[in-house]
Amino acid sequence: MLDVAIIGGGPAALSAALNCRQRNKTVCVFGRSLDSSLLFTAEKVDNYLGMPDVNGEELLNHFYAHAVKKGVEFQECRVTQILNVGEHYMINAENNFIEAKAIILATGLSKSKGIAGEIDYLGKGVSYCATCDGMLYRNKKVVVVSENEEGEAEANFLADICKEVSYIPLYKNITFLKDNVKVINAAPKAVVGAEDKVAALETDRETVSCDGIFFAKNTMPPDSLLFGLKTDGKNIEVDRRMATNLPRVYAAGDCTGAPYQIAKAVGEGLVAALSAVSDIDKMKNV
């Protein structure tokens, strides 16, 4: 079991990871590659103290190298769900399940836009993981809405067990889909329910009748990643310790709101790490 699992990959995540390791805690960063960070594409960063005229890629590589040197572990993956199982948390990282005593969310700005009804029907026909929940829809009709090519694998998996699979790509150039997957080129508008469960997906062209809807997103909305997490719009609510409303769950960086600055992210990552370490140590003394 990890002491701390960190979800993200930018400055806040790397700062939190480094400071957890400085205090001898086991830590792993779960996130996408460095080049997926908004900072990576910055042509020039001139407001980070002591490092003038550096570009985003160089700065991120400095942060990453420092974390690796101190023993931080990394797992490049998409986390689809975090479950509170009492004294610890269970992370679903592409169907690898990892336990951790504390969670630090450093997911950055959520670029994925939810649609009407999406969160309302989470667990009632809406899912973010086909391989987790797909067997619940054996011989039923489902829709996969995907922002990236990863959704194709989920649609192909569902095609072997479901009666009908419709696929809505929100990106260009489909790579491979099985013959029994129906492609619909449309923009999703709303999840439609009946009797407290999913009944259809409304798009700008048609309403698709279905029993379940799977969303494959580039970034997960925080409140769909961890049930019960308190948010204010897209921002995760935290106190001065960077603690959320959930026990031993903290947040840092852009996901907590403006200002969207590297120095703020690095500082919040430090505070979140110190809070997590302190609360984990208190668990040992109970």
Side-chain angles (χ1 to χ4, degrees):
M1 181 185 293
L2 292 169
D3 287 319
V4 185
I6 299 173
I7 318 301
L14 296 172
S15 173
L18 172 66
N19 284 283
C20 286
R21 283 298 302 139
Q22 291 281 61
R23 286 150 185 84
N24 296 316
K25 300 303 179 187
T26 56
V27 60
C28 184
V29 175
F30 299 86
R32 306 177 79 85
S33 59
L34 285 182
D35 59 7
S36 66
S37 170
L38 291 175
L39 176 58
F40 189 88
T41 60
E43 184 177 344
K44 183 179 180 181
V45 178
D46 204 22
N47 64 347
Y48 192 71
L49 186 64
M51 299 183 70
D53 300 319
V54 66
N55 65 42
E57 181 179 355
E58 291 170 337
L59 191 56
L60 267 178
N61 282 327
H62 279 305
F63 292 164
Y64 179 79
H66 192 177
V68 169
K69 185 177 180 179
K70 294 298 181 180
V72 174
E73 296 182 6
F74 292 83
Q75 188 168 328
E76 189 175 322
C77 61
R78 183 168 65 101
V79 173
T80 55
Q81 192 175 34
I82 303 172
L83 297 173
N84 185 342
V85 289
E87 290 299 310
H88 60 276
Y89 290 87
M90 184 78 73
I91 299 115
N92 180 354
E94 297 181 2
N95 292 322
N96 291 316
F97 294 89
I98 302 97
E99 296 174 310
K101 298 173 185 175
I103 304 291
I104 297 177
L105 300 170
T107 52
L109 285 171
S110 177
K111 298 183 283 274
S112 297
K113 294 182 179 180
I115 61 174
E118 180 180 329
I119 297 298
D120 296 333
Y121 287 95
L122 182 61
K124 302 173 185 177
V126 169
S127 173
Y128 297 101
C129 180
T131 49
C132 308
D133 299 329
M135 297 306 290
L136 299 173
Y137 299 91
R138 181 179 291 276
N139 298 322
K140 295 184 178 182
K141 296 180 180 181
V142 299
V143 179
V144 177
V145 180
S146 183
E147 296 179 351
N148 54 57
E149 292 180 359
E150 294 174 9
E152 295 173 29
E154 301 210 339
N156 290 332
F157 169 79
L158 292 166
D160 290 334
I161 57 177
C162 296
K163 178 181 179 181
E164 184 178 304
V165 178
S166 298
Y167 189 74
I168 299 180
L170 304 181
Y171 61 97
K172 296 179 180 179
N173 302 325
I174 291 175
T175 302
F176 171 72
L177 288 171
K178 292 183 177 179
D179 292 339
N180 56 338
V181 176
K182 178 184 178 183
V183 176
I184 299 175
N185 291 306
K189 293 296 183 182
V191 176
V192 180
E195 298 180 357
D196 206 31
K197 62 181 181 180
V198 165
L201 176 68
E202 180 186 333
T203 77
D204 61 347
R205 294 188 178 183
E206 61 182 303
T207 297
V208 184
S209 174
C210 61
D211 301 292
I213 305 170
F214 294 86
F215 291 92
K217 294 176 176 283
N218 293 322
T219 55
M220 294 289 291
D223 50 355
S224 64
L225 191 63
L226 185 53
F227 181 75
L229 182 69
K230 192 173 182 180
T231 59
D232 180 9
K234 286 190 174 183
N235 300 330
I236 302 172
E237 290 194 5
V238 292
D239 60 20
R240 286 185 60 83
R241 299 179 70 245
M242 309 315 300
T244 70
N245 63 305
L246 300 177
R248 301 181 313 284
V249 177
Y250 315 86
D254 288 354
C255 63
T256 67
Y260 305 117
Q261 299 290 330
I262 302 165
K264 180 251 193 188
V266 169
E268 288 189 350
L270 162 67
V271 175
L274 295 179
S275 299
V277 168
S278 175
D279 290 346
I280 288 170
D281 287 344
K282 289 176 184 176
M283 292 174 67
K284 299 176 182 178
N285 297 323
V286 173

